[in-house]
């Protein structure tokens, strides 16, 4: 039986394609660690929002880069980002949302994902990420860094220890200036996080108490601008 067609959109196909778009970000598995997934993939034409009560990260690095892809109309675009990397990160009360605009007969649709919403003092109940890189376009938080170096050359980030994050694996040479400004710290704690991002990659992403839902409109975005 063929799926129903309205306004040129096959609704069963819409559901199949849209739901994994954020779910895949949240469960990207071990591809990066095995070299099967590079950080240079073409990004979608949609930013997503992430909110968290706290993020506790280790071996923090941050540097400038450029993400590239196509917008929802198929036109090429590029966006400057601050890439933040951690060897490990624990996230409490994480919310992630992305809006698909102007869906025929429905309007805007918000996909919301939440995880790590219980047991803030128990690390096993927090969201856990290993070897995670976040391509961030904006960030608001209360931040504390331990043993921080500001003004490190991007190409020198943890060059002495290949087990710690540096430039994300697979990044094309024209996306990052290895002589550009970067910073690193042994630990980073961010509270009351509100972040917009274009992409996230991780070797492992564990999401206890995961919940994923679709909503009409934009009222269920993780935060409002």
């Amino acid at each position: 039986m063929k799926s129903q067609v309205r306004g040129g959109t096959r609704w069963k196909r819409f559901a199949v394609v849209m739901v994994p778009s954020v779910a895949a970000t949240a469960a990207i598995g071990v591809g990066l660690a095995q070299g099967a997934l590079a950080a240079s993939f073409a990004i979608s034409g949609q930013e997503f929002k992430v909110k968290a009560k706290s993020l506790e990260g280790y071996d923090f690095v941050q540097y400038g880069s450029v993400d590239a892809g196509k917008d929802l109309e198929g036109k090429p675009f590029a966006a400057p980002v601050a890439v933040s990397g951690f060897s490990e990160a624990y996230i409490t009360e994480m919310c992630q949302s992305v809006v698909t605009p102007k869906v025929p007969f429905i309007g805007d649709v918000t996909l919301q994902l939440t995880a790590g919403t219980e047991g803030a003092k128990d690390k096993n109940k927090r969201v856990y990420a290993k070897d995670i890189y976040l391509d961030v376009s904006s960030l608001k938080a209360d931040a504390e860094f331990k043993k921080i170096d500001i003004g490190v050359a991007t190409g020198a980030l943890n060059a002495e220890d290949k087990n710690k994050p540096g430039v994300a694996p697979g990044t094309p040479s024209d996306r990052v200036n290895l002589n550009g400004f970067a910073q690193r710290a042994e630990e980073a704690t961010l509270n009351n996080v509100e972040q917009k991002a274009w992409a996230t990659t991780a070797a492992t992403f564990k999401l206890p108490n995961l919940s994923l839902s679709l909503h009409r409109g934009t009222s269920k975005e993780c935060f409002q601008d």
Side-chain angles (χ1 to χ4, degrees), residues 63 152-159 162 166-167 176-180 182:
Y63 59 91
V152 180
T154 299
L157 285 171
N158 296 324
K162 300 301 183 181
V167 174
V176 61
N177 186 337
L178 297 181
N179 298 313

Side-chain angles (χ1 to χ4, degrees), residues 30-31 40-41 52 63 97 99 111 129 135 138 150 167 174-175 180 205 208:
V30 297
S40 60
F41 55 79
Y63 59 91
S97 63
V99 175
L111 189 153
D135 293 11
S138 69
I150 300 174
V167 174
D174 61 348
R175 300 280 181 90
F205 215 160

Side-chain angles (χ1 to χ4, degrees), residues 2-16:
K2 295 183 179 179
S3 58
Q4 187 173 4
V5 180
R6 296 180 180 175
T9 299
R10 293 185 181 272
W11 292 104
K12 287 184 179 180
R13 181 177 299 174
F14 168 80
V16 169

Side-chain angles (χ1 to χ4, degrees), residues 4 17-18 26 39 46 76 83 92-93 99 112 114-115 119-120 130 139 143 154 156 161 170 185 200 209:
Q4 187 173 4
V17 172
M18 182 180 174
Q46 295 171 270
V83 180
T92 301
E93 296 184 17
V99 175
Q112 184 196 77
T114 61
K130 180 176 175 58
L139 171 68
T154 299
D161 189 344
T200 298
N209 199 32

Side-chain angles (χ1 to χ4, degrees), residues 170-213:
T171 301
S173 59
D174 61 348
R175 300 280 181 90
V176 61
N177 186 337
L178 297 181
N179 298 313
F181 178 94
Q183 57 186 344
R184 64 188 177 190
E186 285 192 3
E187 295 183 31
T189 301
L190 307 178
N191 294 310
N192 305 315
V193 178
E194 292 185 355
Q195 170 184 289
K196 292 182 180 179
W198 287 104
T200 298
T201 61
T204 301
F205 215 160
K206 297 180 180 180
L207 294 104
N209 199 32
L210 171 66
S211 175
L212 189 151
S213 56

Side-chain angles (χ1 to χ4, degrees), residues 98-100 106-111 215-221:
V98 63
V99 175
T100 298
I106 296 178
D108 296 342
V109 176
T110 299
L111 189 153
H215 307 271
R216 288 191 177 189
T218 61
S219 64
K220 292 297 183 179
E221 285 190 281

Side-chain angles (χ1 to χ4, degrees), residues 51-153:
K51 183 177 182 179
K53 183 176 181 180
S54 67
L55 183 154
E56 179 183 319
Y58 300 90
D59 300 321
F60 165 78
V61 297
Q62 188 175 69
Y63 59 91
S65 186
V66 176
D67 279 354
K70 293 184 178 181
D71 64 20
L72 294 180
E73 296 179 350
K75 298 178 181 178
F77 78 98
V81 292
V83 180
S84 299
F86 301 91
S87 62
E88 290 186 300
Y90 293 89
I91 305 169
T92 301
E93 296 184 17
M94 187 189 80
C95 172
Q96 179 175 302
S97 63
V98 63
V99 175
T100 298
K102 300 178 182 179
V103 177
F105 304 103
I106 296 178
D108 296 342
V109 176
T110 299
L111 189 153
Q112 184 196 77
L113 180 154
T114 61
T117 54
E118 297 180 357
K121 294 182 179 180
D122 184 350
K123 284 190 174 182
N124 291 325
K125 293 184 178 181
R126 302 182 198 178
V127 172
Y128 170 75
K130 180 176 175 58
D131 297 332
I132 183 171
Y133 288 89
L134 311 161
D135 293 11
V136 179
S137 55
S138 69
L139 171 68
K140 295 181 180 179
D142 300 315
E144 178 181 351
F145 301 93
K146 294 183 179 180
K147 294 187 178 181
I148 188 169
D149 296 324
I150 300 174
V152 180

